[in-house]
Amino acid sequence: MVREGEHLWSPRPEFVDRANITRYQRYLREQHGLSFTDYEALWRWSVEDVSRFWATIWDYFQVQASAPYQRVLSGAGMLGTKWFEGARLNYAEHLLRHEQVAAPGKTAFHHLTENRPLRQMSWQELGAQVRVLATQLRKLGLKPGDRVVSYMPNVPETAIAMMATVAIGAVWSSAAPEFGVKTVVERFTQIQPKLFFAADGYRFGGRDFSREDEVRQIAGALPSLEHIVWLPYLHPSPPPADLPDTVLWSQLMDHAPVPAADFAYEQVAHDHPLWVVFSSGTTGLPKAIVHGHAGALLEHLKVMHFHINLTPDSAMFFYSTTGWMMWNLVIAALLTGSAAVLYDGSPVHPQPDLLWKLAADTGATNFGASPTFVQMMEKAGLKPGETYDLSRLEAVLVAGSPSTPETFQWFYQAVKSDLWVTSQSGGTELCSAFVGASPTLPVYAGEIQCRLLGMDVRALSDDGQRELVDEVGELVAVKPFPSMPVHFWNDTDGKRYRESYFNVFEREGAPIWRHGDFIKINGRGGCFIYGRSDSTLNRHGVRIGTAEIYRAVEQVPEVADSLIVCVELPGGKFFMPLFVKLKDGAVLDAGIEKRIVERLRQDCSPRHVPDRIYAVNAVPYTLTGKKMEVPVRKLLLGMPLEKAASRDAMMNPDAIDYFVRFAQESKDYQWRAA
């Protein structure tokens, strides 16, 4: 078994030399007289001289703005910071900048769905469609600041709708069509949208799922709606007759092209709302997180160029739905001139290696998926590197949950040996990452390569008094960064925003960002994420990250998946049950339990051994693929389901029923709680 921190790969000198971040360092040396011996020195400068660093990002990428910024950074403290105040610009304008220089026919989007063959859309086609739609939205009366929402699959039409919305200064928000009515209504009612893009359904795993009834219910719950744009995705049929003020997508698009020279992007203030993205909402009303044009643009220019290393010759794929912020990042690939690969459907239908075939067919240079996807590949015994031509593939990006050393090792064994395998961790709150990758650094098993430029991330002790190295602590950001939320929608006094991130730790008397993850930063700057700190396992005063338990337990051959929680009980007692989903044909018996316990003792410690082990049919996940540890823990503490979790925010809602019954009926649990 590969060891955590074991060296797996180093970049070739030519790979380092042509990396975007290397060119940026040459620029700093030639234009600013700044030289750095290694990545760690560059990172340290970027977080010590915050204003100068972000000013160089603005200048290096020649950000287009109709009015210049007055100061890079203004305001006091992290909560009071304003970025590039005075600037007027437009995020969508930068997404389409490469249209003007792209060769005729050069691909902007590769797109595949279960009911459409693989196709391409050129930069010229994309720009033309965005301008037509933006012009028609203006004719419908949409103004800067109006909210536009979407309930559509991961297809070019959704991306075009987003770019057209942003181009006119309206505010975008998206929900994936697999979301239930309650989940969507909880999100969209908060922002009172004026226009609704809706598809008639989606296809997954070879089955069609009509969403006509859901669209009716959602529209009926949004009294602010003035227009619905209907996309007949499953069937070429008109919109339902009982949906008022509805126009077909094709009708909006059936207009003469608008030349680029004749189209004006709405120039908006630095902090004008770009989009509203929502937290998972598994344990309460989802947070409506607002990002601004300047902050998101500068962050995405940095991360897509320097940390994902995209160029106009790249093609980026990440398996995502339109309800996850990773979809926004895939579209942000356009900022680099890279093509984006869009896929909508099951990742394993009609064949388990479908996404690898897609990567080969599109010449993907960057491939992204979650650790759960890797588990599916391992279970199927796939070796895509032996089956497909992946010669253009340079990098793998793993995101969504903590990656294990075994996840990294699988790519080197099953895909190709010369591969930059990276892991990232961030969140919807920043629509980017805190820690991630650099193409100039080696890869070590299970280790996130670095803290991203401009992200002053530290690991703090419980009391916030000590900065930790080579120890697990709370992930905090101690300096502001441009893609911090501008605010939460309807949070007029900022109370919910403060309570979400700024109510635990202070530095020099001012609150700092507590993200809610456990992190370890080692001496060379590498990072390890150990799961959510609000789902901490605390045994005899020792904190245990759930990720290390999952890594050990899921090495047991019979175990397919697992979930663990620790419940504090009266009188200083606690109960730590482990729930395991076994592979087909396996039955939880004394032998399997013994192997699980021995593995935990051997790989972790006696404190990691659970009080009891239970077999379940499924582990509950959020819609973005995170194990629902906190809701399960709340159920076991006696909270009713309707307060502990929202079924509509779950990937597999039926999986929670076992835990509801367990909390009510388990004699083991009731005995310990007594």
Side-chain angles (χ1 to χ4, degrees), residues 92-228:
E93 183 174 10
H94 291 80
L95 285 176
L96 288 171
R97 277 175 74 176
H98 288 270
E99 178 196 357
Q100 306 307 314
V101 297
K106 186 176 185 296
T107 298
F109 285 147
H110 300 274
H111 52 105
L112 173 72
T113 70
E114 288 192 15
N115 63 349
R116 299 180 186 178
L118 179 62
R119 300 176 185 175
Q120 287 73 38
M121 178 177 288
S122 72
W123 280 93
Q124 292 77 22
E125 292 174 291
L126 175 61
Q129 292 198 36
V130 169
R131 288 189 291 275
V132 166
L133 181 57
T135 300
Q136 295 309 308
L137 293 180
R138 281 171 167 158
K139 289 183 178 179
L140 287 175
L142 272 290
K143 304 183 298 299
D146 286 341
R147 276 76 66 203
V148 172
V149 295
S150 166
Y151 191 55
M152 302 215 294
N154 186 13
V155 291
E157 291 90 339
T158 311
I160 290 164
M162 184 270 274
M163 285 187 267
T165 296
V166 173
I168 65 171
V171 185
W172 173 261
S173 193
S174 175
E178 65 268 21
F179 284 14
V181 171
K182 182 173 181 288
T183 293
V184 179
V185 169
E186 283 182 342
R187 285 157 170 76
F188 289 170
T189 51
Q190 294 187 58
I191 60 175
Q192 299 178 303
K194 195 171 185 177
L195 186 142
F196 182 22
F197 286 100
D200 62 349
Y202 67 99
R203 177 174 287 190
F204 189 90
R207 292 178 54 203
D208 285 346
F209 294 86
S210 172
R211 299 316 250 176
E212 289 192 13
D213 286 343
E214 285 79 1
V215 170
R216 286 191 189 91
Q217 294 177 59
I218 294 166
L222 300 173
S224 58
L225 279 185
E226 295 180 9
H227 306 282
I228 299 173

Side-chain angles (χ1 to χ4, degrees), residues 218-500:
I218 294 166
L222 300 173
S224 58
L225 279 185
E226 295 180 9
H227 306 282
I228 299 173
V229 179
W230 184 259
L231 178 69
Y233 175 69
L234 291 179
H235 308 290
S237 54
D242 55 352
L243 269 183
D245 304 309
T246 301
V247 59
L248 276 169
W249 173 274
S250 58
Q251 291 175 295
L252 275 189
M253 301 304 294
D254 187 19
H255 290 85
V258 180
D262 296 340
F263 181 80
Y265 290 90
E266 191 71 33
Q267 300 296 294
V268 297
H270 63 105
D271 59 352
H272 183 86
L274 165 64
W275 50 49
V276 180
V277 288
F278 290 90
S279 62
S280 61
T282 52
T283 58
L285 191 66
K287 296 187 285 284
I289 301 164
V290 181
H291 290 127
H293 279 245
L297 175 62
L298 270 291
E299 172 60 28
H300 288 170
L301 285 170
K302 178 208 74 177
V303 77
M304 304 311 287
H305 283 89
F306 298 157
H307 298 289
I308 309 295
N309 199 38
L310 298 179
T311 73
D313 294 326
S314 301
M316 178 183 174
F317 169 76
F318 192 97
Y319 181 71
S320 177
T321 72
T322 54
W324 187 14
M325 70 91 178
M326 286 305 301
W327 180 82
N328 302 61
L329 279 188
V330 171
I331 306 305
L334 300 179
L335 293 171
T336 70
S338 168
V341 182
L342 309 180
Y343 172 67
D344 197 73
S346 166
V348 293
H349 179 86
Q351 58 197 67
D353 57 356
L354 171 77
L355 297 188
W356 295 106
K357 182 179 187 304
L358 177 62
D361 291 345
T362 58
T365 57
N366 298 68
F367 182 96
S370 68
T372 306
F373 172 77
V374 178
Q375 290 177 3
M376 290 191 289
M377 298 296 99
E378 285 183 298
K379 183 177 180 180
L382 296 179
K383 294 187 176 180
E386 297 177 1
T387 309
Y388 298 107
D389 177 7
L390 299 174
S391 55
R392 275 180 48 84
L393 185 65
E394 293 184 335
V396 164
L397 187 158
V398 185
S401 59
S403 297
T404 66
E406 291 74 24
T407 300
F408 281 46
Q409 186 182 44
W410 181 84
F411 285 106
Y412 289 107
Q413 292 179 341
V415 181
K416 61 195 298 187
S417 58
D418 185 15
L419 194 62
W420 176 34
V421 177
T422 76
S423 183
Q424 324 279 321
S425 186
T428 303
E429 302 88 343
L430 51 152
C431 208
S432 184
F434 280 125
V435 294
S438 172
T440 61
L441 295 174
V443 171
Y444 299 94
E447 180 175 321
I448 299 173
Q449 287 178 295
C450 58
R451 290 170 281 189
L452 300 195
L453 297 180
M455 296 296 194
D456 198 348
V457 169
R458 311 294 175 96
L460 285 192
S461 58
D462 279 348
D463 59 10
Q465 299 303 305
R466 292 185 301 121
E467 184 179 328
L468 306 177
V469 177
D470 283 320
E471 293 182 54
V472 177
E474 287 272 1
L475 190 162
V476 299
V478 301
K479 297 275 184 67
F481 49 93
S483 63
M484 290 172 62
V486 174
H487 53 78
F488 290 174
W489 202 271
N490 290 332
D491 185 26
T492 52
D493 60 358
K495 182 175 183 288
R496 195 178 187 202
Y497 182 31
R498 289 193 303 274
E499 289 178 347
S500 296

Side-chain angles (χ1 to χ4, degrees), residues 631-651:
V632 167
R633 180 173 173 271
K634 289 182 176 180
L635 286 172
L636 268 60
L637 285 169
M639 186 178 289
L641 176 61
E642 59 271 19
K643 292 186 177 180
S646 167
R647 285 184 181 275
D648 287 337
M650 300 179 200
M651 183 185 297

Side-chain angles (χ1 to χ4, degrees), residues 25-26 28-36 45 52 56:
Q25 287 183 261
R26 293 191 195 114
L28 291 177
R29 185 169 57 250
E30 294 167 3
Q31 299 297 320
H32 294 270
L34 295 167
S35 295
F36 303 99
W45 167 74
R52 190 177 184 189
T56 69

